[in-house]
Amino acid sequence: MIVALTGELGFSDTEAGTLMTGSLLACAVACLLSSRLAAGKGRYLVARAGLGLAAAGFAAAAFIPSVPVVVAGVLIGGLGAGGAVSAGGAALGALRNPDRASGLSGFANRVIVSVVLFVVPVLGAGMGSAFGLLAGLALAALFTTAWLPGSPASTTDGPRAAAAPGKGSRSTTLAGLGLLACFALWALSEDSLWAVAATMGADQARLDETGMGLVLSLSTLGGLLASGLIGLAGRRLGRTAPLAVALVAGAALKMLSGTVTDPGLYMAVIIAWNTIYMLAFIYIVATAAALDASGRWSAPVLGVYLIGSSFAPFFGTFLSASAGYDVLGYVLAGMTLVLAVPLILISRLSVRIDREAVGNPPTNINKAAIV
């Protein structure tokens, strides 16, 4: 998108980057502001309005060559995407198996991203391809909103709607708020490394652009495998133990990334870290979904992730420039280990709540919602 903005409309790199940052922040804010409505009776309205705005905004940016229209379209598209993310996240809570649902969601995400990353270069990184494809995806998704399982607040058809243990309890509320705070900080630690991965690879491991391209491709493949595994396994792998292993392993890989100097080893570390990242991401989202069947916590979870992620480029580049890549690796690893403690405790609580919900199955099950 930045290439399209600078190439066709004459934006500077800074202007294009600022606009895309604004779009991402608009997405995050819209997700957070609409999460309560998406967790209740307004889920379908939020989904349809969000996808409609996203399709209209990105289509305008793609096909109307006017700077004011493009700026407005990209920001409106971001706002609409936030509503779609909120509704989709909330719907995860109503599904019977949050681990499988989150795994399949992650798998679908990686597949779509892979297709887009393949198609855009083939078509040429222009406004029509970069923003037009996103508008088309939003329009296609608009026709699937009726498949979303409803909230227990508005219907008893959802597979987990008959029981939402602990929904109003103080412990669950504190756990949900803690999860959102931890997820934002975890996003900061993860994306800070990704923000400097290319320059760090070039500076300390003599990795060229071809090598980084291979890292990106294999990282995407690793994410596909990880999400597919969780989607197939569902509850059989558990939730807390895999999350703990992923967080600790991720911390170790972050620390290694700032110290290795061999190009091949650096590539292996970054690819492994990206694969582990997807595992942890999916289990955190599943934890949010399992805490409340209405989607009270899974609706805003991606919004807070984007908030943390938006500060990552500044944090990562500032720390690496001022203290060095090795210090960056140690700091990010330390952040992950500290965050692992509350995340593991919250995951344990979510497992208990999830088991109570499964132990009280609803009598009227919407088969489409299960799928």
Side-chain angles (χ1 to χ4, degrees):
M1 290 178 174
I2 291 175
V3 171
L5 288 167
T6 56
E8 290 194 12
L9 292 176
F11 280 65
S12 68
D13 289 343
T14 301
E15 290 170 341
T18 300
L19 178 58
M20 294 315 305
T21 297
S23 184
L24 287 172
L25 287 175
C27 178
V29 171
C31 177
L32 295 176
L33 292 179
S34 63
S35 60
R36 187 168 184 177
L37 186 60
K41 297 180 179 180
R43 178 170 303 170
Y44 299 103
L45 174 63
V46 170
R48 288 163 183 158
L51 289 166
L53 278 177
F58 290 129
F63 303 114
I64 302 177
S66 165
V67 171
V69 172
V70 168
V71 171
V74 171
L75 294 177
I76 290 172
L79 284 171
V85 166
S86 176
L92 289 175
L95 298 175
R96 175 175 292 172
N97 192 325
D99 301 296
R100 174 167 293 162
S102 298
L104 292 175
S105 174
F107 183 80
N109 173 275
R110 289 290 172 167
V111 169
I112 293 172
V113 167
S114 300
V115 171
V116 170
L117 288 175
F118 173 77
V119 171
V120 170
V122 172
L123 297 177
M127 297 296 292
S129 59
F131 292 98
L133 278 174
L134 197 54
L137 286 170
L139 189 61
L142 183 60
F143 295 100
T144 70
T145 53
W147 302 349
L148 290 174
S151 166
S154 59
T155 177
T156 57
D157 287 343
R160 296 177 70 237
K167 177 180 177 181
S169 71
R170 183 180 179 185
S171 61
T172 306
T173 300
L174 290 175
L177 293 173
L179 179 71
L180 296 182
C182 288
F183 201 35
L185 292 171
W186 183 76
L188 175 64
S189 73
E190 294 295 313
D191 287 354
S192 291
L193 177 54
W194 187 246
V196 301
T199 55
M200 182 163 63
D203 292 343
Q204 76 177 24
R206 303 176 305 281
L207 195 65
D208 57 17
E209 293 183 2
T210 302
M212 279 308 300
L214 182 60
V215 167
L216 178 62
S217 299
L218 293 179
S219 295
T220 301
L221 177 61
L224 277 170
L225 294 175
S227 55
L229 173 64
I230 298 173
L232 290 173
R235 286 194 180 91
R236 290 193 291 272
L237 294 176
R239 183 181 304 144
T240 304
L243 176 59
V245 170
L247 290 172
V248 172
L253 290 166
K254 288 176 188 174
M255 185 177 64
L256 280 175
S257 68
T259 59
V260 295
T261 57
D262 179 75
L265 183 57
Y266 181 80
M267 291 175 63
V269 168
I270 296 298
I271 292 167
W273 162 67
N274 267 279
T275 303
I276 292 295
Y277 152 83
M278 178 54 75
L279 285 170
F281 183 95
I282 288 172
Y283 279 117
I284 294 173
V285 173
T287 298
L291 281 175
D292 195 317
S294 72
R296 181 185 181 190
W297 306 113
S298 56
V301 74
L302 294 180
V304 300
Y305 181 92
L306 285 175
I307 294 292
S309 179
S310 65
F311 292 98
F314 170 77
F315 184 75
T317 53
F318 173 79
L319 192 56
S320 61
S322 59
Y325 294 122
D326 55 343
V327 173
L328 174 68
Y330 292 131
V331 170
L332 298 182
M335 287 178 64
T336 303
L337 291 176
V338 170
L339 293 171
V341 177
L343 286 172
I344 290 169
L345 292 175
I346 295 169
S347 176
R348 290 184 62 184
L349 175 63
S350 77
V351 170
R352 180 177 65 80
I353 292 174
D354 201 21
R355 285 174 178 169
E356 292 176 11
V358 172
N360 296 278
T363 56
N364 182 21
I365 295 178
N366 183 338
K367 294 181 180 179
I370 297 176
V371 174

